Amino acid sequence: KAGVTQTPRYLIKTRGQQVTLSCSPISGHRSVSWYQQTPGQGLQFLFEYFSETQRNKGNFPGRFSGRQFSNSRSEMNVSTLELGDSALYLCASQGGSGDTEAFFGQGTRLTVV
Amino acid sequence: KQEVTQIPAALSVPEGENLVLNCSFTDSAIYNLQWFRQDHGKGLTSLLLIQSSQREQTSGRLNASLDKSSGRSTLYIAASQPGDSATYLCAVEDDYKLSFGAGTTVTVRA
């Protein structure tokens, strides 16, 4: 059974640009959540989607947005990139009932220059 | 707001020694607690999931306990090996999100 797939693995962007990251969950999983990992702040929750609906959102500025499609694949978008957005972005896949094991992808390493 | 703390921040042991990693959390209203392993710069690998109604889980050399009332979990790794060197993270789930500790970085010396 395929795991969680995140694309691309690496990205280099310039300040002010926007970026879209993609996450394909494990087949049959309907919940996708996103996390930002930096050396200074650790792992921080961005948002969670279930059946195309956002159920929770972390404390990030409106430049960070996401969506989920009917096949459960999810994208997150960051507009007007800042140097501080450089991080490892991780996506997690869960069945969706709130008490199931979370499986993570390998992440997308975003560098903003 | 859920706060998760992991102690110690780093640990170095000789091969064969048992490892004890601690995790504490402030709000006991959780769905579950999960332990992960992260190799440098990589994604997270799930090790053990403990449901809120459970007291412990075991998988091979790994055993994790959960005391929800006191907001504590402990991960035990028996007979450590150099391949166990990694950062170990605990996370509690509530309200459709995981709250993570900062992790314990483990080095097992051959």
Side-chain angles (χ1 to χ4, degrees), chain A residues 35 37 56 94 98-99 101-102, chain B residues 31 34 38 46 51 95 98:
Chain A
Y35 296 83
Q37 187 176 32
N56 200 351
Q94 289 176 278
D99 62 354
E101 193 170 2
Chain B
Y31 297 152
Q34 200 166 346
Q38 185 175 33
S46 177
Q51 306 278 12
D95 201 19
L98 293 170

Side-chain angles (χ1 to χ4, degrees), chain A residues 22-93:
Chain A
S22 178
C23 173
S24 292
I26 292 170
S27 177
H29 282 190
R30 296 164 66 189
S31 169
V32 173
S33 50
W34 290 88
Y35 296 83
Q36 180 196 65
Q37 187 176 32
T38 59
Q41 299 295 319
L43 275 151
Q44 293 188 288
F45 170 74
L46 282 156
F47 25 67
E48 189 266 359
Y49 289 89
F50 177 80
S51 293
E52 301 179 70
T53 300
Q54 186 183 87
R55 293 194 296 189
N56 200 351
K57 185 179 190 303
N59 189 27
F60 278 81
R63 300 184 297 105
F64 291 81
S65 63
R67 60 178 175 169
Q68 186 180 34
F69 302 96
S70 58
N71 63 357
S72 294
R73 190 178 71 86
S74 177
E75 289 182 347
M76 66 163 281
N77 184 78
V78 187
S79 62
T80 320
L81 284 164
E82 300 177 0
L83 295 179
D85 297 332
S86 295
L88 180 66
Y89 290 88
L90 292 162
C91 154
S93 165

Side-chain angles (χ1 to χ4, degrees), chain A residues 9 33 35 37 43 45 48 55-56 88 90 92 94 96-107 109, chain B residues 31-32 34 36 38 41-49 51 89 93-102:
Chain A
R9 292 292 311 280
S33 50
Y35 296 83
Q37 187 176 32
L43 275 151
F45 170 74
E48 189 266 359
R55 293 194 296 189
N56 200 351
L88 180 66
L90 292 162
Q94 289 176 278
S97 64
D99 62 354
T100 59
E101 193 170 2
F103 296 92
F104 280 78
Q106 288 299 300
R109 171 76 62 185
Chain B
Y31 297 152
N32 58 53
Q34 200 166 346
F36 295 91
Q38 185 175 33
K42 303 285 180 63
L44 276 60
T45 300
S46 177
L47 297 174
L48 289 168
L49 169 74
Q51 306 278 12
L89 295 148
E93 181 173 5
D94 57 26
D95 201 19
Y96 309 116
K97 74 177 189 298
L98 293 170
S99 298
F100 285 86

Side-chain angles (χ1 to χ4, degrees), chain B residues 44-94:
Chain B
L44 276 60
T45 300
S46 177
L47 297 174
L48 289 168
L49 169 74
I50 312 177
Q51 306 278 12
S52 61
S53 59
Q54 297 175 318
R55 295 297 296 256
E56 69 175 326
Q57 275 290 350
T58 298
S59 175
R61 294 184 295 112
L62 276 58
N63 173 275
S65 65
L66 173 63
D67 183 342
K68 227 176 66 157
S69 60
S70 67
R72 293 182 183 179
S73 176
T74 302
L75 176 66
Y76 301 91
I77 303 177
S80 61
Q81 304 167 358
D84 294 329
S85 298
T87 296
Y88 292 82
L89 295 148
C90 78
V92 295
E93 181 173 5
D94 57 26

